[in-house]
Amino acid sequence: MHPHRRQLALGALALACGLAFVPAQAQPAYPAKPISIVVSYPPGSDTDSIARMLAERLSQRLNQAVIVDNKPGAGGTLGNSFVGRAAPDGYTLLFTPNPFTTAPMVLRLSPSSSYDVLHGFEPVIQIATQPLVLVAHPGVGAKSVPALVGLARSGKSLTYATPGAGSPMHIVGEWLNRAAGVKFTHVPYRGVAPSVNDVVAGHVDTAWVTLGVVSQYTQQKRLLPLAIGDATRSPLAPEVPTLTELGFKDVVVGAWNGFFAPKGTPPEVVRLLNGHLNEIIKSPEVVSKLATFGALPVGGAPDVLAKTNATEYQVMGKLIKELAITAD
């Protein structure tokens, strides 16, 4: 071969070999752009307020914008399904209370708002539990659940308010009806605030709500706390007995909230978010802030949220059928 041609051939071979060993361009480290936290309820709700508190602190830790995006509608299912269809890249997260699990069982969902509760998301972290409390207007004339049940059995017509049909509050209300052999009439509202306002005003006799939203009224004796729906007394209201203590065995319904990501989100992204959020909810400032919402931090591995979600799906699903709970 002519020397010049041989030189050209060797140069081409070297260039080809060199190119073959050029490493692929590395992906930018997560997070390389703003993260969106979808809240399926309007601004100003407990869920929204907690999400914004956590978003601010997560943003500081990640050195990246973390934005709360409210997508209310259809009992929370519009926002939930939006996240279920989002790209599994860690940039769209869902922060939701436990109607996430039960809403598909009590609502007639369109294809655009349906989602797979157990298999359509990656659990990230359970943030908190929010004990439910039964409160009564002082004018009812009952300072305990036995006294309240006694009034119902004597023939007095009594009502209970909830923030919505099909909610955990509705479920525990109907479960207590069955366990006590009485019929408190359910009065559903569109949200927590109007349900609390009407029981404070005496338009409704009692209400099932989370502790935080009625704490000011119970402190002022404008509402009387009668029972906690959790399995054990709450450290936020240790003087209030549980329904189990009062003889209504196994009547236990609470509220919780947590973060989910779209199915297929990389495990390393889930681990990163879980680690930061675990540290955030352990800080005294956040623990104190959560208490104002009647919430107690939980945390732990993603499996904790997965188990909570699966257990609720099984237990509440059975109750919803037995008690004929619907959102109609």
Side-chain angles (χ1 to χ4, degrees), residues 41 44-51 53 95-99 126-134 163 168-169 172 192 208-214 227-237 252-258 289-298 308 312:
Y41 297 89
S45 63
D46 276 10
T47 303
D48 173 74
S49 299
I50 294 173
M53 173 184 68
F95 181 66
T96 179
N98 51 329
Q126 184 173 342
I127 292 296
T129 58
Q130 288 180 280
L132 302 183
V133 61
L134 175 63
M169 297 77 163
V172 71
V192 173
W208 277 102
V209 288
T210 52
L211 278 167
V213 299
V214 292
I228 292 287
D230 270 11
T232 58
R233 293 196 184 202
S234 171
L236 301 176
V252 177
V253 178
W256 52 264
N257 54 52
K289 186 66 175 177
L290 285 172
T292 66
F293 297 104
L296 299 165
V298 176
T308 298
E312 181 128 329

Side-chain angles (χ1 to χ4, degrees), residues 77-284:
T77 61
L78 290 182
N80 300 347
S81 60
F82 174 85
V83 175
R85 296 190 302 271
D89 54 12
Y91 292 100
T92 304
L93 306 173
L94 175 68
F95 181 66
T96 179
N98 51 329
F100 165 85
T101 311
T102 55
M105 304 178 194
V106 298
L107 295 168
R108 296 192 183 99
L109 300 183
S110 66
S112 64
S113 58
S114 62
Y115 55 93
D116 186 337
V117 170
L118 296 181
H119 307 293
F121 298 81
E122 300 288 351
V124 177
I125 185 172
Q126 184 173 342
I127 292 296
T129 58
Q130 288 180 280
L132 302 183
V133 61
L134 175 63
V135 293
H137 188 275
V140 174
K143 296 183 179 180
S144 68
V145 171
L148 191 68
V149 169
L151 286 176
R153 288 174 177 168
S154 71
K156 183 171 182 177
S157 177
L158 295 170
T159 54
Y160 75 96
T162 73
S167 64
M169 297 77 163
H170 184 194
I171 295 170
V172 71
E174 291 305 309
W175 198 357
L176 178 58
N177 270 344
R178 184 177 70 175
V182 295
K183 182 59 181 175
F184 297 96
T185 301
H186 180 218
V187 184
Y189 288 80
R190 290 185 178 274
V192 173
S195 69
V196 173
N197 290 341
D198 269 12
V199 73
V200 170
H203 301 314
V204 186
D205 299 311
T206 67
W208 277 102
V209 288
T210 52
L211 278 167
V213 299
V214 292
S215 60
Q216 61 173 318
Y217 300 115
T218 56
Q219 290 167 7
Q220 298 164 357
K221 308 298 183 185
R222 298 175 67 186
L223 291 177
L224 304 177
L226 305 184
I228 292 287
D230 270 11
T232 58
R233 293 196 184 202
S234 171
L236 301 176
E239 74 285 358
V240 184
T242 67
L243 288 176
T244 302
E245 284 180 68
L246 297 171
F248 303 104
K249 185 181 178 182
D250 298 329
V251 181
V252 177
V253 178
W256 52 264
N257 54 52
F259 279 94
F260 291 88
K263 188 70 174 178
T265 299
E268 60 271 20
V269 170
V270 171
R271 284 195 297 268
L272 177 70
L273 293 169
N274 176 273
H276 281 300
L277 287 164
N278 261 308
E279 292 184 14
I280 287 170
I281 64 173
K282 289 176 184 175
S283 72

